[in-house]
Amino acid sequence: MTLAANSQTSFPAAANPRAPSARPRRAKSTDTLGISLVTLASLIALWFLAAHFGWASSLFLPSPAEVLTQFSAVAADGYANGTLLNHTMASLGRIATALAAGIVVGIPLGLLMGLNRWVKGIFSVPIDLYWGLPPLAYLPLLIIWLGIGETSKIVLLSLSTFAPICFAAQAGVRSVPAERINAALSLGANRLQLFTSIILPSALPEIMTGLRIAIGAGLSTLVAAELIAAQSGLGYMIMSAANFLATDVVFVGLIVIAALAFAFTSGMRWLEHRLVPWKGKL
Amino acid sequence: MLRIRDASVTFPASDGQEVHALDRISLDIAPDTIVVAVGASGCGKSTLLNAIAGFLPLTEGTITLDGQEIEAPGGDRGVVFQKDTLLPWANVLDNVALGLKYQGLPRGERRERSRRLLELVGLADFAEKPPYELSGGMHQRVGIARALATDPKILLMDEPFGALDSLTRETMQQLLASIWAKTGKQIFFITHSIEEALILGTTIVVMSPRPGRIVARFDTGFVRDFAESGDIGPIQSHPRFIELRQEIRSLIHKPEDVRKGTLQ
């Protein structure tokens, strides 16, 4: 009823249901949000039931209450040489450093590779070669070269965040429509103006996608690296707990990592929405 | 004045032979005229426009604009594309102001000039909208305003209304005729529609493919009446219009081509 009334009068775009704004998409995402919340609630309920009726020994599946107790214990008193906050910050610090390195090196290099045949020719071979390797396969080599300390882990993580960012920046440059470049040239753009006003913003959506992939790659490499060789971090905490069959602490670690991953993804989506609202629209 | 002298463009084809996209074209475009190139796909009209714009080098010959040889794209030739080339991250006003920004004009001045152009194309109320909220016809209006903003010597239009529905297309033809009458810009316009060529051109050049050549040239004045009256009906029923339409059609679709089945 209100829809019919709206479509007959001229409304400002925000209130006009027929304006091609983000409106239909938002309606869609709210729909799946409801379903997802029900799924999440069901999984937690199932966990409660399983623990309550003793479907599995608490050694394998601790009850939600045990995990919650352990959560506050780890948060307050710590586990494996540090509180939960210490471990989380150690992990976050590593991934932030690696991400910064990946961005600082990956974006300019990727842009250059997209723009210049020589740069692409020189750098694509080494990047393709190492990107095909599983990070954990060359971690031992990095440890031999750089020692067991922070450096080898940061380098490992930087390598895993760098490649997706670099590839994305390169693809971004190549995705610029030729007509868009011609249009700018015929409006009198010089080379620098062409780069800053056309190529860089055109590449931005691809770069944002690359960042999201880089965060995912970094997070999985991070935890794996900490499982193997570390004195702090969430992966290290999980590994120490597993050695003593402290399944509840393992759960605490997993929940924190899942929350971090979710926060990263949501943050990136938000950032994407803010920085490249036109993505997929033109 | 734009002078094209013996302009040829040759591409290497995939079978190792050469494709003569343009073969010794000579053409002048004077101020206050609209030269429309019409022809079937592959007749070289887009190649000619791209060469004038500077997107494509000539294999032989020269193109000069006011005595200066064209070697690269530049702000003295405004281009309106068939495909939408607006920047999605900038609103309509900033898209129109893009060329002025490249020239280094202060923000206030370029916004003011762009606003006047948006009024000219009838989009004053859409200045703050992002391009992806516009219709196809509006896109082309913004494209025309953007190309006019830097006050180029010549406007090059690459089938700008080809993708529009016929009603929008007629409105856009009216708009272009009135803009031309107001600004007196020299315009080079390409189309595959004979009617559009007759309605908009002061000069119509008919091109034929392989090699791309000008096969006929007609000087008409329908666009002056059209700009004045804005009414397409009387023009389309004018005996001279009907006669020319038939003549151009027979030049483009040669009867022997139809018999041989080589018509595209």
Side-chain angles (χ1 to χ4, degrees):
Chain A
M1 199 176 77
T2 48
L3 205 71
N6 276 351
S7 61
Q8 278 168 12
T9 41
S10 145
F11 270 70
N16 186 345
R18 298 202 307 175
S21 62
R23 192 64 181 263
R25 184 173 296 177
R26 200 174 302 153
K28 200 175 155 194
S29 76
T30 333
D31 282 345
T32 60
L33 183 68
I35 300 170
S36 304
L37 285 177
V38 171
T39 313
L40 187 65
S42 310
L43 282 173
I44 293 174
L46 198 65
W47 182 17
F48 266 101
L49 288 174
H52 184 79
F53 294 110
W55 293 344
S57 147
S58 78
L59 185 63
F60 297 116
L61 187 71
S63 75
E66 282 174 298
V67 172
L68 202 65
T69 317
Q70 202 50 257
F71 196 100
S72 47
V74 176
D77 310 329
Y79 191 89
N81 327 324
T83 65
L84 189 56
L85 189 67
N86 294 147
H87 289 303
T88 309
M89 290 318 282
S91 293
L92 277 180
R94 285 175 193 138
I95 200 159
T97 313
L99 208 57
I103 289 172
V104 167
V105 185
I107 293 182
L109 187 63
L111 291 173
L112 278 173
M113 285 172 75
L115 291 170
N116 187 291
R117 185 171 69 95
W118 279 93
V119 182
K120 182 182 161 66
I122 291 168
F123 285 96
S124 62
V125 172
I127 296 175
D128 280 339
L129 278 179
Y130 95 78
W131 178 238
L133 297 170
L136 290 189
Y138 56 80
L139 177 60
L141 185 64
L142 288 178
I143 292 176
I144 294 171
W145 285 349
L146 304 166
I148 193 102
E150 282 301 292
T151 318
S152 56
K153 278 187 281 295
I154 298 286
V155 170
L156 180 81
L157 287 178
S158 301
L159 285 171
S160 68
T161 57
F162 160 79
I165 295 174
C166 180
F167 286 141
Q170 199 183 329
V173 172
R174 288 172 174 269
S175 73
V176 188
E179 289 90 354
R180 200 178 273 172
I181 290 176
N182 277 344
L185 288 175
S186 71
L187 288 168
N190 61 33
R191 288 175 71 94
L192 181 68
Q193 287 168 333
L194 188 68
F195 179 76
T196 55
S197 75
I198 305 291
I199 294 174
L200 196 57
S202 296
L204 199 56
E206 293 270 3
I207 293 176
M208 297 302 291
T209 309
L211 279 180
R212 217 166 61 198
I213 297 172
I215 290 176
L219 207 61
S220 49
T221 313
L222 167 81
V223 175
E226 286 175 349
L227 288 174
I228 290 179
Q231 298 303 312
S232 63
L234 291 167
Y236 168 69
M237 188 185 93
I238 290 176
M239 202 59 209
S240 314
N243 285 339
F244 296 100
L245 282 180
T247 322
D248 42 5
V249 179
V250 173
F251 266 71
V252 170
L254 287 177
I255 289 170
V256 173
I257 292 170
L260 284 181
F262 181 76
F264 273 132
T265 313
S266 317
M268 283 306 296
R269 279 190 207 288
W270 177 82
L271 205 62
E272 238 176 282
H273 195 73
R274 288 300 301 269
L275 286 178
V276 289
W278 68 86
K279 190 181 178 184
K281 284 180 179 159
L282 215 74
Chain B
M1 176 75 125
L2 185 94
R3 271 178 211 280
I4 304 168
R5 285 294 173 271
D6 296 317
S8 298
V9 172
T10 324
F11 297 117
S14 51
D15 56 4
Q17 296 206 305
E18 288 192 326
V19 176
H20 294 271
L22 284 186
D23 187 32
R24 284 163 290 158
I25 300 267
S26 290
L27 181 70
D28 284 350
I29 302 176
D32 205 25
T33 61
I34 304 183
V35 174
V36 181
V38 64
S41 333
C43 72
K45 54 191 194 300
S46 285
T47 309
L48 182 57
L49 186 136
N50 284 335
I52 301 173
F55 302 148
L56 186 85
L58 290 178
T59 315
E60 271 167 65
T62 54
I63 303 178
T64 57
L65 180 59
D66 291 347
Q68 259 198 320
E69 187 159 350
I70 285 166
E71 280 159 349
D76 52 351
R77 285 148 286 146
V79 184
V80 180
F81 297 81
Q82 174 173 19
K83 262 178 80 176
D84 158 49
T85 55
L86 302 179
L87 306 183
W89 52 84
N91 66 22
V92 165
L93 190 71
D94 290 335
N95 264 292
V96 174
L98 190 61
L100 300 172
K101 193 176 168 187
Y102 291 150
Q103 290 180 350
L105 228 68
R107 186 179 153 88
E109 200 174 325
R110 61 179 196 248
R111 286 179 78 89
E112 194 198 307
R113 253 163 84 172
S114 305
R115 252 180 227 290
R116 277 207 302 274
L117 279 157
L118 281 179
E119 267 165 42
L120 181 73
V121 298
L123 281 182
D125 295 339
F126 292 83
E128 311 295 333
K129 293 259 181 206
Y132 48 82
E133 287 187 11
L134 303 184
S135 68
M138 291 176 176
H139 272 273
Q140 292 311 74
R141 284 169 194 257
V142 181
I144 292 170
R146 179 179 70 175
L148 285 172
T150 49
D151 196 21
K153 291 176 183 162
I154 185 170
L155 204 55
L156 307 173
M157 308 186 75
D158 186 359
E159 297 195 41
F161 312 144
L164 304 178
D165 66 85
S166 58
L167 291 176
T168 310
R169 190 171 187 159
E170 232 171 77
T171 321
M172 294 301 291
Q173 289 164 347
Q174 268 171 24
L175 177 76
L176 183 66
S178 79
I179 287 175
W180 172 72
K182 273 181 218 162
T183 62
K185 278 265 174 276
Q186 46 190 323
I187 298 176
F188 179 65
F189 190 105
I190 67 177
T191 180
H192 54 253
S193 155
I194 298 168
E195 299 242 337
E196 186 166 71
L198 281 167
I199 291 162
L200 290 177
T202 57
T203 299
I204 295 151
V205 291
V206 183
M207 296 183 68
S208 77
R210 282 175 298 271
R213 275 188 188 147
I214 294 177
V215 291
R217 171 192 169 116
F218 303 93
D219 291 309
T220 62
F222 298 116
V223 66
R224 295 179 212 279
D225 300 335
F226 183 44
E228 214 166 282
S229 67
D231 190 358
I232 222 163
I235 296 170
Q236 278 175 327
S237 55
H238 195 285
R240 179 72 183 141
F241 185 97
I242 296 167
E243 194 187 319
L244 279 172
R245 185 174 56 196
Q246 197 46 49
E247 197 174 340
I248 294 172
R249 178 165 294 143
S250 63
L251 280 166
I252 293 175
H253 310 299
K254 289 188 200 100
E256 60 265 34
D257 286 347
V258 179
R259 274 203 305 275
K260 280 190 238 153
T262 53
L263 192 75
Q264 292 199 326

